Amino acid sequence: MDRWIHPSWQPVLAPHTDAVQAILRTCEPDTWPRREDVFHALAVPRDAVRVAIVGQDPYPTPGHAHGLAFSVPDGVAPLPPSLRNIFAELADDLGARRTRGDLSDWVAQGVLLLNRVLTVRAGQPGSHRGRGWEAFTEALLRSVAPTVAILWGSDAQTARPFFPSATIIASAHPSPLSAHRGFLGSRPFSRANDALTAAGLAPIDWVGADTRVG
């Protein structure tokens, strides 16, 4: 289905192949992310998922979405407002500033970055809701057993029942429209690492190597 998908996802994907192809056929030419990146989130091996971060749908600005929820490709500047708020909260929470918008290093540590809806038409947030992605991403999320599930926004919080054994960290979406209603000050990064440590697992390095302390 896609170059990014780790083989461990195939048993989950197989029953949905026809439905997913039908959704993709409805996508307009100006859909983001580009077709080759739609399933980028599934690069993480399914049994390696320690933290699931769930969002709503991709960035609608052309060139921003690349298949990882909240992430942007290297070189995007300025960063989208939601990601700037995520990094502001990370700095307040952990005392370090991250500058790199590509969150692939989180994926490499077992973080699943998955939106409930995997595509969007350029300039039209929420435009691909109701096309069938929600059932597909439900199946994906139900198939993993993360220690922590971070749910940002009301769309993401519909996934709460999919994680019966996880520590749930839920808040408003980091968008400027809602971040001050519970996202800022929620300390998701330290809380996630506390839960991982309590479970005997290594914490996530959220800040990466391109950061400054203080």
Side-chain angles (χ1 to χ4, degrees):
M1 192 183 292
D2 185 87
R3 67 187 178 101
W4 289 110
I5 298 173
H6 188 273
S8 59
W9 292 97
Q10 290 301 335
V12 184
L13 299 176
H16 299 274
T17 299
D18 290 346
V20 167
Q21 293 301 328
I23 297 169
L24 292 172
R25 285 194 293 271
T26 73
C27 291
E28 303 84 357
D30 57 346
T31 289
W32 288 91
R34 293 303 189 195
R35 172 64 185 82
E36 62 268 22
D37 291 328
V38 169
F39 304 104
H40 193 170
L42 304 185
V44 59
R46 189 160 60 98
D47 60 359
V49 174
R50 298 189 288 142
V51 177
I53 296 180
V54 184
Q56 53 185 38
D57 64 345
Y59 297 122
T61 302
H64 283 192
H66 69 144
L68 302 177
F70 301 104
S71 179
V72 294
D74 276 337
V76 169
L79 296 177
S82 293
L83 190 55
R84 293 202 299 270
N85 281 336
I86 289 169
F87 287 177
E89 179 59 23
L90 189 154
D92 288 345
D93 189 4
L94 300 181
R97 299 184 184 278
R98 181 182 175 112
T99 57
R100 186 184 181 202
D102 186 341
L103 305 180
S104 298
D105 57 306
W106 292 4
V107 176
Q109 298 176 77
V111 179
L112 176 66
L113 295 170
L114 190 71
N115 285 311
R116 289 306 318 275
V117 172
L118 299 187
T119 56
V120 68
R121 190 170 190 181
Q124 298 182 21
S127 52
H128 288 184
R129 287 176 176 153
R131 295 195 183 191
W133 284 128
E134 293 88 347
F136 176 62
T137 56
E138 176 177 348
L140 297 177
L141 293 169
R142 286 188 182 276
S143 78
V144 296
T147 301
V148 182
I150 299 175
L151 313 178
W152 285 335
S154 57
D155 286 13
Q157 289 174 37
T158 63
R160 183 187 288 267
F162 310 161
F163 303 110
S165 301
T167 295
I168 302 293
I169 300 173
S171 73
H173 193 275
S175 162
L177 298 175
S178 57
H180 290 279
R181 297 201 296 268
F183 173 76
L184 296 175
S186 62
R187 300 178 57 247
F189 307 102
S190 61
R191 291 166 62 194
N193 279 350
D194 287 347
L196 290 169
T197 301
L201 300 173
I204 302 296
D205 176 8
W206 298 107
V207 295
D210 64 332
T211 56
R212 295 181 288 114
V213 175

